Amino acid sequence: MKKILCLNGWGQEPKTLENTFKKVFEYADFETYDYVISNNDGIFPRNYEGCKEYDITIAWSLGTHCAINLIQKKLLKTKFLILIAPIFQFVINETNKIGIPKEMFYSFFNGFIKYPEATMRHLVAMSASGDKNADLVFDKMKIQDLNVLSKYTLEQQLLHLRNFSCFDVNFKKFPKTICFSGANDHVVASSQAKLFAERIKDFELHIFDNCGHAPHFSHMEEIKKELKNI
């Protein structure tokens, strides 16, 4: 039986990704973690201890940062890595023009501070934007409950993403990777997936036309075909 790790997107109910891919890998043992912020380790799975081994790791958006972090720190050994709408760098910095402008980041961040529920709904709309199957994205994205603790944790995750960049990551020993991205992604541009393709030796990239930030919701039939031999 395959052992599969799921690392979800920002603000999603922890089991959302797992429940979606159970339809692809029907006879597998899934593990899902929520996230915490560690001053030393950045965005890190809650209650994740030691080095863990999996057959497959599936990571979406924010989860791709977590997966990269774990592999780089030698805390995750996985035979196969599935990246969905991966983040190479979230915010433009002084040395390159990759990511969203700082002004856009702080507009979203400040909106979340003042109006968290409305901002989360806005994220769902952004994820569905430009997708021919937008109704599926609206239906399947499950926002986590916002209590005081979870809201604070989500704020800290955003602040950590502000400075996150993969330009200093050594990808030489990364596992075989397949990546799915949407050509119309308005959250993380699909061009960021190509930066991973340039750095990971065994890398397969699929960019879907008329697709937004959540291809695993809107284009699952296409994804299933690409994963059928795993």
Side-chain angles (χ1 to χ4, degrees), residues 61-150:
S61 195
L62 173 75
T64 63
H65 163 34
C66 190
I68 291 163
N69 191 23
L70 291 172
I71 294 171
Q72 188 176 215
K73 294 179 181 297
K74 299 181 179 180
L75 294 173
L76 170 61
K77 294 181 179 178
T78 186
K79 297 176 183 176
F80 202 93
L81 181 61
I82 300 173
L83 300 181
I84 305 169
I87 302 172
F88 193 90
Q89 179 173 298
F90 196 55
V91 180
I92 291 172
N93 60 31
E94 289 74 16
T95 58
N96 60 70
K97 299 299 182 183
I98 306 299
I100 64 173
K102 287 185 178 180
E103 296 79 9
M104 184 180 296
F105 169 81
Y106 282 110
S107 175
F108 184 88
F109 178 78
N110 292 329
F112 181 71
I113 296 294
K114 295 179 180 179
Y115 311 106
E117 291 82 6
T119 302
M120 297 298 271
R121 291 194 297 271
H122 178 58
L123 175 63
V124 174
M126 288 174 62
S127 299
S129 179
D131 201 308
K132 68 177 183 180
N133 297 316
D135 55 330
L136 291 176
V137 179
F138 278 108
D139 181 58
K140 294 179 181 295
M141 278 190 74
K142 305 297 182 184
I143 302 300
Q144 70 182 77
D145 293 333
L146 291 176
N147 54 43
V148 174
L149 179 60
S150 67

Side-chain angles (χ1 to χ4, degrees), residues 24-72:
V24 180
F25 304 106
E26 296 181 3
Y27 304 103
D29 180 18
F30 283 83
E31 288 187 8
T32 292
Y33 291 87
D34 197 1
Y35 302 126
V36 294
I37 296 290
S38 165
N39 290 334
N40 296 322
D41 297 310
I43 299 173
F44 201 74
R46 189 186 303 275
N47 299 322
Y48 187 102
E49 297 179 354
C51 179
K52 294 181 176 291
E53 295 186 20
Y54 296 90
D55 295 295
I56 301 170
T57 296
I58 306 171
W60 174 36
S61 195
L62 173 75
T64 63
H65 163 34
C66 190
I68 291 163
N69 191 23
L70 291 172
I71 294 171
Q72 188 176 215

